[in-house]
Amino acid sequence: MDEWVEQERRRRNNGEVIIIRYADDLVLGFQYKTEAERYLEALSERVQTYGLKLHPEKTSLKEFGRYAEERRRKRGEGKPESFDFLGFTHLCSRNRQGGYFLKRKTKTKKMRQKLSELKEELTKRKHAPIQQTGVWLKSVVHGFGLYFGVPGNSKALKSYRGQVVKMWLKVLRRRSQKGSALTWEKFNRIVDKYIPHLRICQPFPEVRFATTQGRSRMR
């Protein structure tokens, strides 16, 4: 796939083309709409030679990027469509200064899936020592924050942590009749010890890419 995209880019050389791929999930970006349409048709034909086909619900053309909102407004159209990729929903947004901002937030379906898996595992660990479960939860929550801690996603981070805390309290209160005596005040001391507060820990894309490009030049 990567080689084919590069060959097409060199052969045509019509506008800028970018490819972001992880396994068989990919996003292709084009400077011109005509090129996007041509690539989509060519890609469909390409995968058919391997007995494959593009997913009809996950494959689409979307006008997206820095100038998408302005262009759509001039045509009397609505806001640019969002798209999902690697657990994030990507949207065209604005920062506090009114400039363009690529907003990424945890995909709603992904959030529900993560919480559902966590609830199931917590239930299995219902009678495990609090310290043991707390150490495990700390690792899980921390890992979620590392992956989804991107600029503009603080609301999802806060929501995830809050849901985890509520689920853990509910499970602990079901351990025995004495569990009902576990008040929020007592439980908060446990939470403060094991459940980290999640914050934005990833840089803005332009900062990360600038660093990567700088390293490439140094090499």
Side-chain angles (χ1 to χ4, degrees):
M1 176 62 70
D2 301 344
E3 292 177 355
W4 176 79
V5 171
E6 184 61 26
Q7 290 172 2
E8 287 290 299
R9 176 163 48 188
R10 291 179 178 178
R11 185 166 66 91
R12 297 283 181 169
N13 194 29
N14 292 328
E16 296 184 6
V17 181
I18 63 171
I19 175 173
I20 303 173
R21 183 184 63 79
Y22 181 82
D24 61 345
D25 288 332
L26 73 155
V27 173
L28 287 166
F30 301 90
Q31 185 176 2
Y32 302 116
K33 180 181 179 181
T34 53
E35 282 298 282
E37 294 171 336
R38 185 184 68 78
Y39 264 80
L40 179 59
E41 182 178 355
L43 180 58
S44 179
E45 296 175 355
R46 176 72 173 176
V47 298
Q48 286 180 19
T49 62
Y50 296 95
L52 304 172
K53 62 180 180 179
L54 300 177
H55 196 293
E57 297 179 2
K58 296 182 179 180
T59 307
S60 62
L61 290 175
K62 296 182 184 295
E63 187 174 19
F64 197 89
R66 185 177 300 276
Y67 306 106
E69 183 178 1
E70 179 182 353
R71 291 170 177 170
R72 293 176 67 86
R73 184 170 59 249
K74 289 181 178 179
R75 298 196 301 264
E77 299 175 352
K79 294 182 179 181
E81 295 180 79
S82 63
F83 68 91
D84 296 327
F85 186 58
L86 301 183
F88 288 95
T89 296
H90 297 68
L91 309 98
C92 293
S93 185
R94 296 284 176 179
N95 57 28
R96 295 180 180 179
Q97 290 73 39
Y100 174 74
F101 175 55
L102 172 59
K103 183 176 179 63
R104 293 167 292 165
K105 64 179 185 179
T106 306
K107 183 181 176 182
T108 302
K109 184 177 180 180
K110 176 63 68 174
M111 174 78 84
R112 291 174 180 170
Q113 176 187 340
K114 291 291 185 181
L115 290 172
S116 177
E117 293 172 353
L118 192 64
K119 181 179 180 180
E120 183 178 349
E121 185 63 27
L122 271 175
T123 302
K124 294 179 181 178
R125 295 170 177 259
K126 182 170 61 174
H127 297 292
I130 290 179
Q131 180 182 3
Q132 181 181 330
T133 302
V135 171
W136 168 74
L137 273 179
K138 183 177 182 179
S139 175
V140 172
V141 174
H142 180 66
F144 183 92
L146 287 179
Y147 186 86
F148 290 103
V150 300
N153 199 34
S154 56
K155 185 177 180 179
L157 297 180
K158 183 178 180 180
S159 175
Y160 176 80
R161 183 183 186 275
Q163 291 295 325
V164 171
V165 169
K166 290 180 180 178
M167 284 193 294
W168 195 15
L169 175 62
K170 192 173 183 179
V171 168
L172 289 178
R173 284 179 169 174
R174 287 179 175 176
R175 286 164 63 124
S176 66
Q177 293 181 349
K178 295 181 180 180
S180 59
L182 183 60
T183 64
W184 269 110
E185 183 178 358
K186 294 179 180 179
F187 182 60
N188 278 334
R189 290 196 290 268
I190 299 175
V191 170
D192 291 339
K193 183 177 180 180
Y194 293 109
I195 310 300
H197 288 275
L198 301 182
R199 298 179 176 84
I200 302 302
C201 59
Q202 302 287 351
F204 285 91
E206 54 268 27
V207 175
R208 176 186 296 174
F209 294 153
T211 302
T212 302
Q213 291 172 358
R215 289 175 179 173
S216 297
R217 287 194 294 270
M218 290 176 65
R219 292 175 183 174

